Amino acid sequence: MNPFRADEIGPLDMFKIGIGPSSSHTVGPMLAALEFRQSCLDSGVLAKEKSSLRLKIELFGSLSATGRGHYTDGAVCAGLIGLHPREAVPNAIWAAMPDLKTSGQVDFAGAVVKFQPDEDLLWEGWLIDGNALPHPNTIRFRILAGDKVVCEKISVSVGGGFVEPVDPRTGQRFTPTEQTYKKPLPYPYNSAAEFVDQCVKNNKDAWEIIIGNEEAKGTPEAELRKKLSDILHAFSECIERGLANEGILPGGLNVRRRAKSLWEQLKAGKSPGWAGNDLRPSIYAMAVNEENACGGTVVTAPTNGSSGLIPAVWRTLQETNNLSEETLQNGLMVASVVGALVKTHASISGAEVGCQGEVGTSCAMAAAGAVAMLGGTPHQMEQAAEIGIEHHLGMTCDPIMGLVQVPCIERNAMGAVKALNATCLSLASDGQHLVSLDRALEVMKQTGLDMNQKYKETSTGGLALG
């Protein structure tokens, strides 16, 4: 049973400014390393230890299988020296590992710990101490004085930049009963049906429900909107960088960036297609995901692998419907509800349930948020989200060479179009439909459990073998 409720996960949890190319394999491990560093400093144990200290880091499961393509090692090194994915610039983050290779040590506030990334960062398998992993994305940090473990922390990166600790003694994921928000919320919900009901019975817009709950949790509306404005600004900056840059994406696949060329064709009226040759949603999505593939600054939406879809939909609708900043913020709030429901009742981790949990979730989030921005009802929002999920069920996560490039970039482009179609279908109906969003999430979870491991971010099946 998931220890979280959906109403405990807010918009600022689902949308986080971070670093590419992966929220689960880059942002999460970087945060895990930063948390490990802080826990060691808080304990004070390193300062007391007189013996020579050495750091060992083990990457398990999918982190080991595709971590090299996701720059997991570089991200971990950045976290170890105290860098945060939201605050540090990309150049500083990616300089951390070369610097540690040169110095061969990490400075923990005066306590020098030997660490050579090529020797002390280990790529392990699917067992930890002979036991099953608590999550496909598991990482263990240990500082040793000889054979004695001085500091230890096991973390799991569960998608979207969310990191959860694991009890080293039992191997069980920590149940955050003391950390979760326990004060009664004015508008509680833990399912899509309950959220729609809160909107209807209280005669409130969907985003007003979120604002009320966030204020009860200590975040005033003005502060929430300011931070959502920062998210929207990050969306826009990322799109602009993606439309301006060209060349070959790093990693060895020799994938050429296409967003700039497609954008120039579109502006020149040379782009073939339908609906007035409007390829904007796809081009904007590709622009973001190409920036993500280069290790640039992006927003988890809800993951890095799906980071292009929502910015593309928001920008397209802003341009075609002249939407205000406040309306775009309202859309993010509604989208976050869908993301929270997926995280609570299924998963947003490609290593856990496949790409249905990443691009599928983002499509559903975008569709619900778009309906809200265009004046739809809560029932229509729920319907749009269900359409987005339903037509991504079973999608595998099989990036070639573990790089978030093929098929990830085009999947965002296609997902953006699907989200807009789901929006149109829902707004053209009364919101009544046969399959509920809650039911679709049950199926997503079961499909993920049934999916063969080789199709879940391991580079051992599907397109990854191409």
PDB file of all heavy atoms in Angstrom, residues 255-289:
ATOM      1  N   VAL A 255      22.632  10.938 -32.930  1.00  0.00           N
ATOM      2  CA  VAL A 255      21.299  11.455 -33.231  1.00  0.00           C
ATOM      3  C   VAL A 255      21.400  12.958 -33.459  1.00  0.00           C
ATOM      4  O   VAL A 255      21.915  13.696 -32.617  1.00  0.00           O
ATOM      5  CB  VAL A 255      20.322  11.158 -32.077  1.00  0.00           C
ATOM      6  CG1 VAL A 255      18.978  11.835 -32.326  1.00  0.00           C
ATOM      7  CG2 VAL A 255      20.141   9.654 -31.915  1.00  0.00           C
ATOM      8  N   ARG A 256      20.896  13.402 -34.590  1.00  0.00           N
ATOM      9  CA  ARG A 256      20.960  14.828 -34.934  1.00  0.00           C
ATOM     10  C   ARG A 256      19.756  15.572 -34.340  1.00  0.00           C
ATOM     11  O   ARG A 256      18.627  15.091 -34.403  1.00  0.00           O
ATOM     12  CB  ARG A 256      20.976  15.009 -36.453  1.00  0.00           C
ATOM     13  CG  ARG A 256      21.131  16.469 -36.901  1.00  0.00           C
ATOM     14  CD  ARG A 256      21.306  16.564 -38.406  1.00  0.00           C
ATOM     15  NE  ARG A 256      22.524  15.892 -38.835  1.00  0.00           N
ATOM     16  CZ  ARG A 256      23.739  16.451 -38.778  1.00  0.00           C
ATOM     17  NH1 ARG A 256      23.884  17.665 -38.290  1.00  0.00           N
ATOM     18  NH2 ARG A 256      24.784  15.773 -39.202  1.00  0.00           N
ATOM     19  N   ARG A 257      20.024  16.726 -33.759  1.00  0.00           N
ATOM     20  CA  ARG A 257      18.935  17.559 -33.257  1.00  0.00           C
ATOM     21  C   ARG A 257      18.113  18.067 -34.437  1.00  0.00           C
ATOM     22  O   ARG A 257      18.671  18.534 -35.439  1.00  0.00           O
ATOM     23  CB  ARG A 257      19.502  18.744 -32.461  1.00  0.00           C
ATOM     24  CG  ARG A 257      20.255  18.326 -31.213  1.00  0.00           C
ATOM     25  CD  ARG A 257      20.837  19.508 -30.466  1.00  0.00           C
ATOM     26  NE  ARG A 257      19.779  20.328 -29.875  1.00  0.00           N
ATOM     27  CZ  ARG A 257      19.859  20.862 -28.655  1.00  0.00           C
ATOM     28  NH1 ARG A 257      20.926  20.652 -27.887  1.00  0.00           N
ATOM     29  NH2 ARG A 257      18.886  21.604 -28.195  1.00  0.00           N
ATOM     30  N   ARG A 258      16.767  17.981 -34.306  1.00  0.00           N
ATOM     31  CA  ARG A 258      15.891  18.323 -35.426  1.00  0.00           C
ATOM     32  C   ARG A 258      14.972  19.501 -35.163  1.00  0.00           C
ATOM     33  O   ARG A 258      14.374  20.054 -36.085  1.00  0.00           O
ATOM     34  CB  ARG A 258      15.044  17.109 -35.798  1.00  0.00           C
ATOM     35  CG  ARG A 258      15.822  15.968 -36.417  1.00  0.00           C
ATOM     36  CD  ARG A 258      14.900  14.839 -36.814  1.00  0.00           C
ATOM     37  NE  ARG A 258      14.381  14.127 -35.650  1.00  0.00           N
ATOM     38  CZ  ARG A 258      13.331  13.311 -35.670  1.00  0.00           C
ATOM     39  NH1 ARG A 258      12.663  13.125 -36.798  1.00  0.00           N
ATOM     40  NH2 ARG A 258      12.943  12.683 -34.578  1.00  0.00           N
ATOM     41  N   ALA A 259      14.791  19.884 -33.891  1.00  0.00           N
ATOM     42  CA  ALA A 259      13.784  20.890 -33.558  1.00  0.00           C
ATOM     43  C   ALA A 259      14.033  22.207 -34.295  1.00  0.00           C
ATOM     44  O   ALA A 259      13.090  22.810 -34.832  1.00  0.00           O
ATOM     45  CB  ALA A 259      13.747  21.118 -32.052  1.00  0.00           C
ATOM     46  N   LYS A 260      15.282  22.676 -34.339  1.00  0.00           N
ATOM     47  CA  LYS A 260      15.585  23.957 -34.994  1.00  0.00           C
ATOM     48  C   LYS A 260      15.241  23.903 -36.486  1.00  0.00           C
ATOM     49  O   LYS A 260      14.606  24.826 -37.030  1.00  0.00           O
ATOM     50  CB  LYS A 260      17.066  24.297 -34.812  1.00  0.00           C
ATOM     51  CG  LYS A 260      17.485  25.642 -35.408  1.00  0.00           C
ATOM     52  CD  LYS A 260      18.939  25.936 -35.067  1.00  0.00           C
ATOM     53  CE  LYS A 260      19.346  27.333 -35.547  1.00  0.00           C
ATOM     54  NZ  LYS A 260      19.523  27.396 -36.990  1.00  0.00           N
ATOM     55  N   SER A 261      15.620  22.831 -37.160  1.00  0.00           N
ATOM     56  CA  SER A 261      15.342  22.695 -38.589  1.00  0.00           C
ATOM     57  C   SER A 261      13.843  22.629 -38.861  1.00  0.00           C
ATOM     58  O   SER A 261      13.324  23.284 -39.779  1.00  0.00           O
ATOM     59  CB  SER A 261      16.029  21.450 -39.140  1.00  0.00           C
ATOM     60  OG  SER A 261      15.660  21.210 -40.483  1.00  0.00           O
ATOM     61  N   LEU A 262      13.127  21.833 -38.055  1.00  0.00           N
ATOM     62  CA  LEU A 262      11.678  21.724 -38.230  1.00  0.00           C
ATOM     63  C   LEU A 262      10.991  23.056 -37.966  1.00  0.00           C
ATOM     64  O   LEU A 262      10.018  23.424 -38.647  1.00  0.00           O
ATOM     65  CB  LEU A 262      11.126  20.643 -37.295  1.00  0.00           C
ATOM     66  CG  LEU A 262      11.475  19.193 -37.650  1.00  0.00           C
ATOM     67  CD1 LEU A 262      11.094  18.262 -36.511  1.00  0.00           C
ATOM     68  CD2 LEU A 262      10.773  18.778 -38.938  1.00  0.00           C
ATOM     69  N   TRP A 263      11.479  23.786 -36.976  1.00  0.00           N
ATOM     70  CA  TRP A 263      10.910  25.084 -36.625  1.00  0.00           C
ATOM     71  C   TRP A 263      11.091  26.062 -37.798  1.00  0.00           C
ATOM     72  O   TRP A 263      10.162  26.800 -38.148  1.00  0.00           O
ATOM     73  CB  TRP A 263      11.581  25.599 -35.369  1.00  0.00           C
ATOM     74  CG  TRP A 263      11.144  26.949 -34.878  1.00  0.00           C
ATOM     75  CD1 TRP A 263      11.937  28.037 -34.656  1.00  0.00           C
ATOM     76  CD2 TRP A 263       9.823  27.353 -34.505  1.00  0.00           C
ATOM     77  NE1 TRP A 263      11.205  29.091 -34.184  1.00  0.00           N
ATOM     78  CE2 TRP A 263       9.899  28.700 -34.082  1.00  0.00           C
ATOM     79  CE3 TRP A 263       8.577  26.716 -34.502  1.00  0.00           C
ATOM     80  CZ2 TRP A 263       8.782  29.414 -33.654  1.00  0.00           C
ATOM     81  CZ3 TRP A 263       7.462  27.429 -34.074  1.00  0.00           C
ATOM     82  CH2 TRP A 263       7.561  28.752 -33.656  1.00  0.00           C
ATOM     83  N   GLU A 264      12.250  26.053 -38.412  1.00  0.00           N
ATOM     84  CA  GLU A 264      12.510  26.941 -39.537  1.00  0.00           C
ATOM     85  C   GLU A 264      11.642  26.571 -40.736  1.00  0.00           C
ATOM     86  O   GLU A 264      11.142  27.450 -41.453  1.00  0.00           O
ATOM     87  CB  GLU A 264      13.991  26.896 -39.895  1.00  0.00           C
ATOM     88  CG  GLU A 264      14.874  27.555 -38.831  1.00  0.00           C
ATOM     89  CD  GLU A 264      16.351  27.357 -39.066  1.00  0.00           C
ATOM     90  OE1 GLU A 264      16.710  26.514 -39.930  1.00  0.00           O
ATOM     91  OE2 GLU A 264      17.159  28.030 -38.391  1.00  0.00           O
ATOM     92  N   GLN A 265      11.446  25.268 -40.947  1.00  0.00           N
ATOM     93  CA  GLN A 265      10.558  24.830 -42.028  1.00  0.00           C
ATOM     94  C   GLN A 265       9.129  25.296 -41.778  1.00  0.00           C
ATOM     95  O   GLN A 265       8.441  25.767 -42.698  1.00  0.00           O
ATOM     96  CB  GLN A 265      10.579  23.308 -42.156  1.00  0.00           C
ATOM     97  CG  GLN A 265      11.860  22.719 -42.698  1.00  0.00           C
ATOM     98  CD  GLN A 265      11.756  21.205 -42.835  1.00  0.00           C
ATOM     99  OE1 GLN A 265      10.809  20.692 -43.428  1.00  0.00           O
ATOM    100  NE2 GLN A 265      12.725  20.498 -42.277  1.00  0.00           N
ATOM    101  N   LEU A 266       8.684  25.162 -40.520  1.00  0.00           N
ATOM    102  CA  LEU A 266       7.318  25.559 -40.177  1.00  0.00           C
ATOM    103  C   LEU A 266       7.113  27.052 -40.406  1.00  0.00           C
ATOM    104  O   LEU A 266       6.110  27.480 -40.996  1.00  0.00           O
ATOM    105  CB  LEU A 266       7.036  25.201 -38.715  1.00  0.00           C
ATOM    106  CG  LEU A 266       5.634  25.524 -38.194  1.00  0.00           C
ATOM    107  CD1 LEU A 266       4.598  24.677 -38.912  1.00  0.00           C
ATOM    108  CD2 LEU A 266       5.548  25.273 -36.692  1.00  0.00           C
ATOM    109  N   LYS A 267       8.067  27.865 -39.971  1.00  0.00           N
ATOM    110  CA  LYS A 267       7.939  29.312 -40.144  1.00  0.00           C
ATOM    111  C   LYS A 267       7.961  29.703 -41.617  1.00  0.00           C
ATOM    112  O   LYS A 267       7.339  30.706 -42.014  1.00  0.00           O
ATOM    113  CB  LYS A 267       9.076  30.019 -39.397  1.00  0.00           C
ATOM    114  CG  LYS A 267       8.956  29.958 -37.881  1.00  0.00           C
ATOM    115  CD  LYS A 267       9.962  30.853 -37.192  1.00  0.00           C
ATOM    116  CE  LYS A 267      11.382  30.405 -37.447  1.00  0.00           C
ATOM    117  NZ  LYS A 267      12.360  31.275 -36.740  1.00  0.00           N
ATOM    118  N   ALA A 268       8.661  28.910 -42.421  1.00  0.00           N
ATOM    119  CA  ALA A 268       8.738  29.210 -43.852  1.00  0.00           C
ATOM    120  C   ALA A 268       7.564  28.636 -44.636  1.00  0.00           C
ATOM    121  O   ALA A 268       7.484  28.800 -45.857  1.00  0.00           O
ATOM    122  CB  ALA A 268      10.050  28.669 -44.422  1.00  0.00           C
ATOM    123  N   GLY A 269       6.658  27.960 -43.955  1.00  0.00           N
ATOM    124  CA  GLY A 269       5.498  27.385 -44.623  1.00  0.00           C
ATOM    125  C   GLY A 269       5.808  26.167 -45.452  1.00  0.00           C
ATOM    126  O   GLY A 269       5.049  25.802 -46.348  1.00  0.00           O
ATOM    127  N   LYS A 270       6.922  25.490 -45.179  1.00  0.00           N
ATOM    128  CA  LYS A 270       7.349  24.341 -45.987  1.00  0.00           C
ATOM    129  C   LYS A 270       7.047  22.998 -45.331  1.00  0.00           C
ATOM    130  O   LYS A 270       7.411  21.961 -45.866  1.00  0.00           O
ATOM    131  CB  LYS A 270       8.854  24.436 -46.259  1.00  0.00           C
ATOM    132  CG  LYS A 270       9.268  25.656 -47.057  1.00  0.00           C
ATOM    133  CD  LYS A 270      10.764  25.688 -47.261  1.00  0.00           C
ATOM    134  CE  LYS A 270      11.190  26.917 -48.059  1.00  0.00           C
ATOM    135  NZ  LYS A 270      12.662  26.975 -48.227  1.00  0.00           N
ATOM    136  N   SER A 271       6.407  23.017 -44.175  1.00  0.00           N
ATOM    137  CA  SER A 271       6.198  21.771 -43.440  1.00  0.00           C
ATOM    138  C   SER A 271       4.931  21.072 -43.913  1.00  0.00           C
ATOM    139  O   SER A 271       3.841  21.635 -43.813  1.00  0.00           O
ATOM    140  CB  SER A 271       6.098  22.057 -41.945  1.00  0.00           C
ATOM    141  OG  SER A 271       5.760  20.896 -41.238  1.00  0.00           O
ATOM    142  N   PRO A 272       5.023  19.857 -44.459  1.00  0.00           N
ATOM    143  CA  PRO A 272       3.822  19.131 -44.883  1.00  0.00           C
ATOM    144  C   PRO A 272       3.055  18.623 -43.675  1.00  0.00           C
ATOM    145  O   PRO A 272       3.629  18.369 -42.623  1.00  0.00           O
ATOM    146  CB  PRO A 272       4.385  17.971 -45.700  1.00  0.00           C
ATOM    147  CG  PRO A 272       5.724  17.713 -45.083  1.00  0.00           C
ATOM    148  CD  PRO A 272       6.252  19.068 -44.677  1.00  0.00           C
ATOM    149  N   GLY A 273       1.757  18.481 -43.812  1.00  0.00           N
ATOM    150  CA  GLY A 273       0.989  17.949 -42.692  1.00  0.00           C
ATOM    151  C   GLY A 273      -0.469  18.330 -42.775  1.00  0.00           C
ATOM    152  O   GLY A 273      -0.964  18.737 -43.814  1.00  0.00           O
ATOM    153  N   TRP A 274      -1.115  18.246 -41.643  1.00  0.00           N
ATOM    154  CA  TRP A 274      -2.542  18.515 -41.566  1.00  0.00           C
ATOM    155  C   TRP A 274      -2.758  19.702 -40.627  1.00  0.00           C
ATOM    156  O   TRP A 274      -1.835  20.232 -40.033  1.00  0.00           O
ATOM    157  CB  TRP A 274      -3.292  17.286 -41.032  1.00  0.00           C
ATOM    158  CG  TRP A 274      -2.759  16.811 -39.713  1.00  0.00           C
ATOM    159  CD1 TRP A 274      -1.648  16.065 -39.495  1.00  0.00           C
ATOM    160  CD2 TRP A 274      -3.288  17.105 -38.422  1.00  0.00           C
ATOM    161  NE1 TRP A 274      -1.446  15.860 -38.160  1.00  0.00           N
ATOM    162  CE2 TRP A 274      -2.439  16.484 -37.473  1.00  0.00           C
ATOM    163  CE3 TRP A 274      -4.388  17.822 -37.966  1.00  0.00           C
ATOM    164  CZ2 TRP A 274      -2.673  16.549 -36.093  1.00  0.00           C
ATOM    165  CZ3 TRP A 274      -4.621  17.896 -36.594  1.00  0.00           C
ATOM    166  CH2 TRP A 274      -3.773  17.261 -35.684  1.00  0.00           C
ATOM    167  N   ALA A 275      -3.976  20.114 -40.467  1.00  0.00           N
ATOM    168  CA  ALA A 275      -4.369  21.199 -39.566  1.00  0.00           C
ATOM    169  C   ALA A 275      -3.518  22.442 -39.805  1.00  0.00           C
ATOM    170  O   ALA A 275      -2.965  23.032 -38.888  1.00  0.00           O
ATOM    171  CB  ALA A 275      -4.274  20.764 -38.109  1.00  0.00           C
ATOM    172  N   GLY A 276      -3.424  22.832 -41.069  1.00  0.00           N
ATOM    173  CA  GLY A 276      -2.668  24.031 -41.387  1.00  0.00           C
ATOM    174  C   GLY A 276      -1.173  23.872 -41.205  1.00  0.00           C
ATOM    175  O   GLY A 276      -0.465  24.846 -40.935  1.00  0.00           O
ATOM    176  N   ASN A 277      -0.703  22.655 -41.359  1.00  0.00           N
ATOM    177  CA  ASN A 277       0.732  22.359 -41.207  1.00  0.00           C
ATOM    178  C   ASN A 277       1.257  22.723 -39.828  1.00  0.00           C
ATOM    179  O   ASN A 277       2.443  23.046 -39.677  1.00  0.00           O
ATOM    180  CB  ASN A 277       1.552  23.097 -42.268  1.00  0.00           C
ATOM    181  CG  ASN A 277       1.195  22.696 -43.678  1.00  0.00           C
ATOM    182  OD1 ASN A 277       0.698  21.597 -43.898  1.00  0.00           O
ATOM    183  ND2 ASN A 277       1.434  23.570 -44.636  1.00  0.00           N
ATOM    184  N   ASP A 278       0.408  22.696 -38.820  1.00  0.00           N
ATOM    185  CA  ASP A 278       0.824  23.148 -37.491  1.00  0.00           C
ATOM    186  C   ASP A 278       1.503  22.015 -36.730  1.00  0.00           C
ATOM    187  O   ASP A 278       0.864  21.218 -36.045  1.00  0.00           O
ATOM    188  CB  ASP A 278      -0.374  23.668 -36.701  1.00  0.00           C
ATOM    189  CG  ASP A 278       0.069  24.481 -35.490  1.00  0.00           C
ATOM    190  OD1 ASP A 278       1.262  24.418 -35.150  1.00  0.00           O
ATOM    191  OD2 ASP A 278      -0.776  25.171 -34.901  1.00  0.00           O
ATOM    192  N   LEU A 279       2.819  21.974 -36.851  1.00  0.00           N
ATOM    193  CA  LEU A 279       3.612  20.983 -36.127  1.00  0.00           C
ATOM    194  C   LEU A 279       4.132  21.534 -34.800  1.00  0.00           C
ATOM    195  O   LEU A 279       5.014  20.929 -34.184  1.00  0.00           O
ATOM    196  CB  LEU A 279       4.804  20.536 -36.988  1.00  0.00           C
ATOM    197  CG  LEU A 279       4.511  19.552 -38.120  1.00  0.00           C
ATOM    198  CD1 LEU A 279       5.768  19.337 -38.952  1.00  0.00           C
ATOM    199  CD2 LEU A 279       4.011  18.223 -37.577  1.00  0.00           C
ATOM    200  N   ARG A 280       3.602  22.675 -34.380  1.00  0.00           N
ATOM    201  CA  ARG A 280       4.144  23.311 -33.181  1.00  0.00           C
ATOM    202  C   ARG A 280       4.198  22.399 -31.957  1.00  0.00           C
ATOM    203  O   ARG A 280       5.238  22.350 -31.281  1.00  0.00           O
ATOM    204  CB  ARG A 280       3.352  24.582 -32.856  1.00  0.00           C
ATOM    205  CG  ARG A 280       3.794  25.781 -33.645  1.00  0.00           C
ATOM    206  CD  ARG A 280       3.007  27.009 -33.263  1.00  0.00           C
ATOM    207  NE  ARG A 280       1.612  26.918 -33.667  1.00  0.00           N
ATOM    208  CZ  ARG A 280       0.697  27.853 -33.410  1.00  0.00           C
ATOM    209  NH1 ARG A 280       1.029  28.927 -32.714  1.00  0.00           N
ATOM    210  NH2 ARG A 280      -0.540  27.720 -33.828  1.00  0.00           N
ATOM    211  N   PRO A 281       3.134  21.683 -31.612  1.00  0.00           N
ATOM    212  CA  PRO A 281       3.215  20.852 -30.400  1.00  0.00           C
ATOM    213  C   PRO A 281       4.376  19.854 -30.456  1.00  0.00           C
ATOM    214  O   PRO A 281       5.112  19.696 -29.476  1.00  0.00           O
ATOM    215  CB  PRO A 281       1.864  20.137 -30.361  1.00  0.00           C
ATOM    216  CG  PRO A 281       0.953  20.992 -31.171  1.00  0.00           C
ATOM    217  CD  PRO A 281       1.800  21.596 -32.232  1.00  0.00           C
ATOM    218  N   SER A 282       4.537  19.215 -31.600  1.00  0.00           N
ATOM    219  CA  SER A 282       5.611  18.229 -31.730  1.00  0.00           C
ATOM    220  C   SER A 282       6.984  18.884 -31.706  1.00  0.00           C
ATOM    221  O   SER A 282       7.920  18.389 -31.070  1.00  0.00           O
ATOM    222  CB  SER A 282       5.441  17.431 -33.030  1.00  0.00           C
ATOM    223  OG  SER A 282       4.260  16.645 -32.982  1.00  0.00           O
ATOM    224  N   ILE A 283       7.118  20.011 -32.383  1.00  0.00           N
ATOM    225  CA  ILE A 283       8.422  20.691 -32.436  1.00  0.00           C
ATOM    226  C   ILE A 283       8.817  21.205 -31.057  1.00  0.00           C
ATOM    227  O   ILE A 283       9.974  21.068 -30.638  1.00  0.00           O
ATOM    228  CB  ILE A 283       8.381  21.839 -33.460  1.00  0.00           C
ATOM    229  CG1 ILE A 283       8.220  21.276 -34.874  1.00  0.00           C
ATOM    230  CG2 ILE A 283       9.657  22.683 -33.375  1.00  0.00           C
ATOM    231  CD1 ILE A 283       7.987  22.328 -35.938  1.00  0.00           C
ATOM    232  N   TYR A 284       7.864  21.806 -30.347  1.00  0.00           N
ATOM    233  CA  TYR A 284       8.172  22.316 -29.007  1.00  0.00           C
ATOM    234  C   TYR A 284       8.587  21.175 -28.071  1.00  0.00           C
ATOM    235  O   TYR A 284       9.519  21.314 -27.279  1.00  0.00           O
ATOM    236  CB  TYR A 284       6.966  23.050 -28.422  1.00  0.00           C
ATOM    237  CG  TYR A 284       6.584  24.325 -29.152  1.00  0.00           C
ATOM    238  CD1 TYR A 284       5.275  24.820 -29.085  1.00  0.00           C
ATOM    239  CD2 TYR A 284       7.522  25.039 -29.895  1.00  0.00           C
ATOM    240  CE1 TYR A 284       4.912  25.989 -29.741  1.00  0.00           C
ATOM    241  CE2 TYR A 284       7.165  26.207 -30.559  1.00  0.00           C
ATOM    242  CZ  TYR A 284       5.850  26.677 -30.478  1.00  0.00           C
ATOM    243  OH  TYR A 284       5.506  27.836 -31.131  1.00  0.00           O
ATOM    244  N   ALA A 285       7.870  20.055 -28.173  1.00  0.00           N
ATOM    245  CA  ALA A 285       8.211  18.911 -27.320  1.00  0.00           C
ATOM    246  C   ALA A 285       9.608  18.396 -27.637  1.00  0.00           C
ATOM    247  O   ALA A 285      10.407  18.105 -26.741  1.00  0.00           O
ATOM    248  CB  ALA A 285       7.182  17.790 -27.499  1.00  0.00           C
ATOM    249  N   MET A 286       9.924  18.296 -28.920  1.00  0.00           N
ATOM    250  CA  MET A 286      11.251  17.823 -29.314  1.00  0.00           C
ATOM    251  C   MET A 286      12.343  18.791 -28.868  1.00  0.00           C
ATOM    252  O   MET A 286      13.435  18.384 -28.467  1.00  0.00           O
ATOM    253  CB  MET A 286      11.295  17.610 -30.829  1.00  0.00           C
ATOM    254  CG  MET A 286      10.417  16.464 -31.304  1.00  0.00           C
ATOM    255  SD  MET A 286      10.331  16.327 -33.107  1.00  0.00           S
ATOM    256  CE  MET A 286      11.998  15.819 -33.477  1.00  0.00           C
ATOM    257  N   ALA A 287      12.059  20.088 -28.934  1.00  0.00           N
ATOM    258  CA  ALA A 287      13.042  21.083 -28.502  1.00  0.00           C
ATOM    259  C   ALA A 287      13.421  20.865 -27.042  1.00  0.00           C
ATOM    260  O   ALA A 287      14.606  20.898 -26.679  1.00  0.00           O
ATOM    261  CB  ALA A 287      12.482  22.495 -28.702  1.00  0.00           C
ATOM    262  N   VAL A 288      12.418  20.639 -26.193  1.00  0.00           N
ATOM    263  CA  VAL A 288      12.684  20.412 -24.771  1.00  0.00           C
ATOM    264  C   VAL A 288      13.453  19.115 -24.566  1.00  0.00           C
ATOM    265  O   VAL A 288      14.445  19.069 -23.815  1.00  0.00           O
ATOM    266  CB  VAL A 288      11.370  20.391 -23.969  1.00  0.00           C
ATOM    267  CG1 VAL A 288      11.632  19.960 -22.523  1.00  0.00           C
ATOM    268  CG2 VAL A 288      10.709  21.759 -23.999  1.00  0.00           C
ATOM    269  N   ASN A 289      13.016  18.062 -25.218  1.00  0.00           N
ATOM    270  CA  ASN A 289      13.650  16.761 -24.976  1.00  0.00           C
ATOM    271  C   ASN A 289      15.041  16.665 -25.570  1.00  0.00           C
ATOM    272  O   ASN A 289      15.878  15.892 -25.083  1.00  0.00           O
ATOM    273  CB  ASN A 289      12.755  15.626 -25.473  1.00  0.00           C
ATOM    274  CG  ASN A 289      11.631  15.347 -24.495  1.00  0.00           C
ATOM    275  OD1 ASN A 289      10.542  15.893 -24.635  1.00  0.00           O
ATOM    276  ND2 ASN A 289      11.892  14.531 -23.485  1.00  0.00           N
TER     277      ASN A 289
END
